[in-house]
Amino acid sequence: MNAVDLVKATVVCGLCAFLVYSYPVVGQVLIIGVLSLIWLSYAHTVLTRRVRR
């Protein structure tokens, strides 16, 4: 990771934190939505692997 990547990650995390603290309901919906999509993606991968066997 170089310095530019570190700065970009810091800015993105800072903006996310600002949005979560400024608009708590929107932040909660987005966080729950992203975690749900990650979980569904994992569940889909597991199920497709089991069906193939």
Side-chain angles (χ1 to χ4, degrees):
M1 175 181 279
N2 57 24
V4 175
D5 290 336
L6 184 61
V7 169
K8 285 192 280 187
T10 303
V11 169
V12 169
C13 289
L15 287 174
C16 289
F18 173 76
L19 289 174
V20 166
Y21 284 116
S22 297
Y23 307 102
V25 174
V26 175
Q28 287 176 1
V29 168
L30 288 176
I31 291 170
I32 291 170
V34 168
L35 290 175
S36 298
L37 287 175
I38 292 170
W39 186 87
L40 286 172
S41 165
Y42 179 74
H44 180 264
T45 304
V46 169
L47 289 174
T48 53
R49 284 183 186 167
R50 296 216 183 228
V51 169
R52 287 183 187 172
R53 289 182 187 184

